[in-house]
Amino acid sequence: QVQLVESGGGLVQAGGSLRLSCAASGRIISINDMGWYREAPGKQRELVATITNGGSTNYADSVKGRFIISRDNGKNTVYLQMNSLKFEDTAVYYCNARIDSWTGGFHNYWGQGTQVTVSS
C-alpha cells in the first residue's frame, strides 16, 4: 500500500508565504514525476507545478516566479514553497506522484489534500 501525506496548509494573509510538504510511504520501488495540483471552489483541479526525479520543473503561468517546487528523493518527499500569495491562490492543494511499487507497476497516487486560504 502506498500513501501520500500532505502537510503545511493553513490561513495566511495576502503577500505571505507557506510551505507544503508531501511524503510518500509504503512499498515503493521508485518515484517518477511528483507534483502539486489545486482545486478552488467551483473550479476544476489544475496543475500548479511538477518536478521529475532528475529535478526538472514545470510551473503554471499563474505561479511562475512566486512558487518553487523541490524534492528530496532520499525522503520520498516533495515540497512547494509558496511566496507572495494572492487571494486567488486559495484552494485545496493535492500532491500527486507516479510511483512504482511492490504491489505491481507504476500507478498515479494522490494525497488527501490540504487547504490553503489566503485572506485579502
Side-chain angles (χ1 to χ4, degrees), residues 18-110:
L18 280 176
R19 189 190 195 212
L20 305 182
S21 300
C22 172
S25 63
R27 297 168 59 82
I28 295 170
I29 298 172
S30 63
I31 303 177
N32 279 4
D33 292 1
M34 303 184 84
W36 291 94
Y37 293 72
R38 66 187 181 188
E39 192 170 321
K43 295 186 177 180
Q44 287 190 328
R45 191 172 298 188
E46 63 175 6
L47 179 147
V48 176
T50 61
I51 184 167
T52 68
N53 55 8
S56 296
T57 58
N58 178 54
Y59 294 93
D61 288 343
S62 59
V63 307
K64 280 181 183 176
R66 300 188 297 122
F67 290 10
I68 300 171
I69 188 170
S70 61
R71 65 192 281 175
D72 184 332
N73 291 333
K75 295 181 179 179
N76 290 338
T77 299
V78 63
Y79 306 95
L80 185 69
Q81 177 67 43
M82 303 185 294
N83 301 319
S84 302
L85 281 160
K86 304 176 181 180
F87 176 74
E88 49 265 40
D89 293 318
T90 296
V92 177
Y93 284 70
Y94 295 92
C95 172
N96 174 269
R98 184 156 177 80
I99 296 174
D100 186 16
S101 72
W102 291 104
T103 55
F106 276 98
H107 293 282
N108 225 18
Y109 292 89
W110 291 92

